[in-house]
Amino acid sequence: NAVALEFVIAIDELIFEGLLPSSIHERIEETVLCIVDKAVTPQAQTDAIVSQYIRSVTYFVMTTIGVYIFMTYGQYIPRIGVLPGYANDIQCPGWIEQQIDWVCSAMP
């Protein structure tokens, strides 16, 4: 069992050493997996958090204002302002009646 365990543990290193060239070995030895963050003061961390909150609140307020403007004034823009149940949905007032009349009159 100990020999089998050693084989399982060491097989990846054996494959690595046997199949890859030495240049890859050198590059992997030079690889750093952990990047150390620079020292951040508590004041700088607090400032970063506050700026993130301000950005999020700004996005929320701007989105809310944009939706309000579209729902009120944007409905008067031709070919854009279409909402179900809105009084000025269709720019051509007799179009639906013409379509319904054509379908209904074609039926026996």
Side-chain angles (χ1 to χ4, degrees), residues 5-102:
L5 181 61
E6 180 61 29
F7 175 77
V8 170
I9 292 173
I11 189 68
D12 61 336
E13 294 176 11
L14 290 171
I15 293 173
F16 174 74
E17 290 177 7
L19 297 178
L20 296 176
S22 61
S23 61
I24 299 294
H25 291 271
E26 293 169 3
R27 287 185 183 174
I28 290 179
E29 287 178 13
E30 294 172 359
T31 303
V32 177
L33 297 178
C34 179
I35 299 173
V36 179
D37 290 337
K38 57 184 175 183
V40 179
T41 64
Q43 181 62 35
Q45 187 176 12
T46 303
D47 292 343
I49 291 172
V50 168
S51 69
Q52 292 168 1
Y53 276 121
I54 290 173
R55 183 183 66 223
S56 296
V57 168
T58 302
Y59 288 159
F60 175 75
V61 169
M62 295 304 290
T63 302
T64 305
I65 290 171
V67 168
Y68 175 77
I69 289 173
F70 177 75
M71 295 290 287
T72 54
Y73 303 110
Q75 292 303 313
Y76 298 108
I77 300 172
R79 299 176 197 229
I80 294 178
V82 177
L83 289 177
Y86 187 71
N88 298 324
D89 263 352
I90 298 177
Q91 300 297 327
C92 304
W95 187 80
I96 289 181
E97 288 81 12
Q98 291 173 354
Q99 298 301 317
I100 293 173
D101 184 44
W102 179 79

